[in-house]
Short mmCIF file of all heavy atoms in Angstrom, two decimals:
data_model
loop_
_atom_site.label_atom_id
_atom_site.label_comp_id
_atom_site.label_asym_id
_atom_site.label_seq_id
_atom_site.Cartn_x
_atom_site.Cartn_y
_atom_site.Cartn_z
N LEU B 110 -10.23 -17.19 18.41
CA LEU B 110 -9.24 -16.64 17.46
C LEU B 110 -8.00 -17.46 17.61
O LEU B 110 -7.58 -17.88 18.72
CB LEU B 110 -8.92 -15.16 17.83
CG LEU B 110 -10.08 -14.17 17.74
CD1 LEU B 110 -9.53 -12.78 18.07
CD2 LEU B 110 -10.72 -14.16 16.38
N SER B 111 -7.31 -17.71 16.50
CA SER B 111 -6.06 -18.37 16.48
C SER B 111 -5.23 -17.65 15.41
O SER B 111 -5.44 -17.92 14.21
CB SER B 111 -6.19 -19.85 16.15
OG SER B 111 -4.94 -20.43 15.81
N LEU B 112 -4.36 -16.73 15.88
CA LEU B 112 -3.81 -15.76 14.85
C LEU B 112 -2.33 -16.08 14.59
O LEU B 112 -1.61 -16.59 15.40
CB LEU B 112 -3.96 -14.37 15.46
CG LEU B 112 -5.39 -13.98 15.82
CD1 LEU B 112 -5.43 -12.65 16.55
CD2 LEU B 112 -6.29 -13.94 14.62
N ASP B 113 -2.05 -15.71 13.33
CA ASP B 113 -0.62 -15.78 12.88
C ASP B 113 0.12 -14.60 13.57
O ASP B 113 -0.47 -13.51 13.85
CB ASP B 113 -0.49 -15.62 11.40
CG ASP B 113 -0.98 -16.90 10.67
OD1 ASP B 113 -0.73 -17.99 11.18
OD2 ASP B 113 -1.55 -16.77 9.58
N GLN B 114 1.36 -14.77 13.76
CA GLN B 114 2.18 -13.73 14.37
C GLN B 114 2.40 -12.52 13.42
O GLN B 114 2.49 -12.70 12.23
CB GLN B 114 3.57 -14.26 14.76
CG GLN B 114 3.51 -15.33 15.81
CD GLN B 114 3.15 -14.78 17.19
OE1 GLN B 114 3.69 -13.76 17.67
NE2 GLN B 114 2.19 -15.45 17.82
N PHE B 115 2.50 -11.33 14.01
CA PHE B 115 2.95 -10.21 13.21
C PHE B 115 4.41 -10.35 12.86
O PHE B 115 5.21 -10.75 13.73
CB PHE B 115 2.75 -8.91 13.97
CG PHE B 115 1.39 -8.23 13.79
CD1 PHE B 115 0.61 -7.85 14.86
CD2 PHE B 115 0.94 -7.89 12.54
CE1 PHE B 115 -0.59 -7.22 14.70
CE2 PHE B 115 -0.31 -7.34 12.34
CZ PHE B 115 -1.08 -6.97 13.43
N ASP B 116 4.67 -10.11 11.63
CA ASP B 116 6.07 -10.07 11.19
C ASP B 116 6.78 -8.87 11.77
O ASP B 116 6.19 -7.81 11.88
CB ASP B 116 6.14 -10.00 9.64
CG ASP B 116 7.45 -10.40 9.08
OD1 ASP B 116 8.48 -9.83 9.56
OD2 ASP B 116 7.48 -11.19 8.18
N GLN B 117 8.06 -9.04 12.22
CA GLN B 117 8.78 -7.96 12.82
C GLN B 117 8.96 -6.79 11.86
O GLN B 117 9.25 -5.65 12.24
CB GLN B 117 10.18 -8.45 13.24
CG GLN B 117 10.05 -9.39 14.49
CD GLN B 117 9.32 -8.69 15.67
OE1 GLN B 117 9.67 -7.59 16.08
NE2 GLN B 117 8.26 -9.35 16.15
N GLU B 118 8.78 -7.07 10.55
CA GLU B 118 8.86 -6.03 9.57
C GLU B 118 7.90 -4.91 9.74
O GLU B 118 8.12 -3.77 9.27
CB GLU B 118 8.62 -6.72 8.15
CG GLU B 118 9.19 -6.01 6.96
CD GLU B 118 8.68 -6.68 5.69
OE1 GLU B 118 8.74 -7.94 5.61
OE2 GLU B 118 8.39 -5.97 4.73
N ILE B 119 6.83 -5.20 10.48
CA ILE B 119 5.82 -4.18 10.73
C ILE B 119 6.45 -2.91 11.42
O ILE B 119 5.96 -1.79 11.17
CB ILE B 119 4.68 -4.78 11.59
CG1 ILE B 119 3.49 -3.80 11.61
CG2 ILE B 119 5.11 -5.09 13.03
CD1 ILE B 119 2.22 -4.36 12.31
N LYS B 120 7.47 -3.14 12.16
CA LYS B 120 8.04 -2.01 12.91
C LYS B 120 8.77 -1.02 12.04
O LYS B 120 9.12 0.07 12.41
CB LYS B 120 8.96 -2.54 14.01
CG LYS B 120 8.10 -3.21 15.12
CD LYS B 120 8.98 -3.77 16.26
CE LYS B 120 8.04 -4.39 17.30
NZ LYS B 120 8.73 -5.16 18.29
N THR B 121 9.01 -1.40 10.81
CA THR B 121 9.67 -0.52 9.85
C THR B 121 8.60 0.18 8.95
O THR B 121 9.01 0.99 8.06
CB THR B 121 10.63 -1.29 8.98
OG1 THR B 121 9.92 -2.24 8.18
CG2 THR B 121 11.71 -1.98 9.78
N ASP B 122 7.33 -0.14 9.16
CA ASP B 122 6.33 0.41 8.34
C ASP B 122 5.92 1.81 8.77
O ASP B 122 5.71 2.09 10.00
CB ASP B 122 5.08 -0.47 8.36
CG ASP B 122 4.02 -0.10 7.31
OD1 ASP B 122 3.51 1.01 7.34
OD2 ASP B 122 3.80 -0.97 6.42
N ASP B 123 5.82 2.81 7.84
CA ASP B 123 5.46 4.15 8.14
C ASP B 123 4.15 4.28 8.79
O ASP B 123 3.95 5.06 9.70
CB ASP B 123 5.54 5.00 6.88
CG ASP B 123 6.94 5.16 6.37
OD1 ASP B 123 7.90 4.90 7.10
OD2 ASP B 123 7.09 5.50 5.14
N VAL B 124 3.19 3.48 8.29
CA VAL B 124 1.82 3.54 8.86
C VAL B 124 1.87 3.15 10.32
O VAL B 124 1.21 3.80 11.17
CB VAL B 124 0.84 2.62 8.04
CG1 VAL B 124 -0.54 2.54 8.65
CG2 VAL B 124 0.72 3.14 6.59
N TYR B 125 2.61 2.11 10.63
CA TYR B 125 2.68 1.60 11.99
C TYR B 125 3.28 2.75 12.90
O TYR B 125 2.81 3.02 13.97
CB TYR B 125 3.57 0.40 12.08
CG TYR B 125 3.82 -0.12 13.47
CD1 TYR B 125 2.83 -0.70 14.25
CD2 TYR B 125 5.09 0.07 14.08
CE1 TYR B 125 3.05 -1.16 15.53
CE2 TYR B 125 5.31 -0.35 15.37
CZ TYR B 125 4.29 -0.98 16.10
OH TYR B 125 4.52 -1.40 17.40
N HIS B 126 4.27 3.41 12.35
CA HIS B 126 4.89 4.52 13.11
C HIS B 126 3.94 5.65 13.39
O HIS B 126 3.87 6.18 14.43
CB HIS B 126 6.14 5.06 12.33
CG HIS B 126 7.40 4.23 12.57
ND1 HIS B 126 7.99 4.18 13.80
CD2 HIS B 126 8.00 3.35 11.78
CE1 HIS B 126 9.01 3.35 13.77
NE2 HIS B 126 9.02 2.81 12.48
N ASP B 127 3.14 5.98 12.33
CA ASP B 127 2.11 6.97 12.49
C ASP B 127 1.14 6.63 13.54
O ASP B 127 0.69 7.46 14.40
CB ASP B 127 1.37 7.21 11.15
CG ASP B 127 2.17 7.99 10.13
OD1 ASP B 127 3.25 8.44 10.50
OD2 ASP B 127 1.75 8.10 8.97
N LEU B 128 0.69 5.36 13.55
CA LEU B 128 -0.34 4.89 14.45
C LEU B 128 0.13 4.85 15.93
O LEU B 128 -0.64 5.01 16.84
CB LEU B 128 -0.85 3.51 14.02
CG LEU B 128 -1.73 3.47 12.78
CD1 LEU B 128 -2.00 2.01 12.38
CD2 LEU B 128 -3.07 4.21 12.96
N THR B 129 1.44 4.62 16.07
CA THR B 129 1.97 4.50 17.42
C THR B 129 2.71 5.75 17.84
O THR B 129 3.42 5.76 18.93
CB THR B 129 2.93 3.28 17.50
OG1 THR B 129 3.89 3.40 16.53
CG2 THR B 129 2.19 2.02 17.44
N ALA B 130 2.52 6.84 17.12
CA ALA B 130 3.18 8.07 17.44
C ALA B 130 2.53 8.70 18.65
O ALA B 130 1.47 8.30 19.10
CB ALA B 130 3.12 9.02 16.24
N LYS B 131 3.17 9.72 19.20
CA LYS B 131 2.66 10.39 20.39
C LYS B 131 1.27 10.88 20.14
O LYS B 131 0.97 11.48 19.04
CB LYS B 131 3.59 11.54 20.78
CG LYS B 131 4.70 11.17 21.65
CD LYS B 131 5.53 12.38 22.08
CE LYS B 131 6.68 11.98 22.90
NZ LYS B 131 7.51 13.09 23.25
N GLY B 132 0.38 10.79 21.08
CA GLY B 132 -0.98 11.34 20.98
C GLY B 132 -1.97 10.37 20.33
O GLY B 132 -3.18 10.55 20.40
N SER B 133 -1.50 9.24 19.76
CA SER B 133 -2.38 8.32 19.14
C SER B 133 -2.97 7.37 20.18
O SER B 133 -2.29 6.96 21.16
CB SER B 133 -1.62 7.43 18.15
OG SER B 133 -2.31 6.34 17.74
N PRO B 134 -4.29 7.06 20.07
CA PRO B 134 -4.91 6.16 21.10
C PRO B 134 -4.24 4.76 21.06
O PRO B 134 -4.46 3.97 21.94
CB PRO B 134 -6.33 6.07 20.63
CG PRO B 134 -6.45 6.84 19.38
CD PRO B 134 -5.19 7.48 19.09
N LEU B 135 -3.44 4.47 20.03
CA LEU B 135 -2.86 3.17 19.90
C LEU B 135 -1.48 3.12 20.59
O LEU B 135 -0.84 2.08 20.65
CB LEU B 135 -2.69 2.79 18.41
CG LEU B 135 -3.97 2.62 17.59
CD1 LEU B 135 -3.70 2.61 16.16
CD2 LEU B 135 -4.70 1.36 18.02
N ARG B 136 -1.08 4.24 21.07
CA ARG B 136 0.29 4.40 21.59
C ARG B 136 0.58 3.37 22.66
O ARG B 136 1.66 2.74 22.67
CB ARG B 136 0.38 5.80 22.19
CG ARG B 136 1.68 6.08 22.92
CD ARG B 136 2.71 6.73 22.09
NE ARG B 136 3.90 7.03 22.78
CZ ARG B 136 5.16 6.74 22.36
NH1 ARG B 136 5.24 6.16 21.18
NH2 ARG B 136 6.20 7.08 23.05
#
Side-chain angles (χ1 to χ4, degrees):
Chain B
L110 300 182
S111 165
L112 305 173
D113 286 326
Q114 295 290 312
F115 268 127
D116 196 307
Q117 289 305 307
E118 203 185 316
I119 192 173
K120 289 179 178 169
T121 62
D122 192 297
D123 291 342
V124 173
Y125 176 74
H126 278 290
D127 285 353
L128 288 172
T129 52
K131 273 185 182 174
S133 166
L135 297 166
R136 172 96 178 133

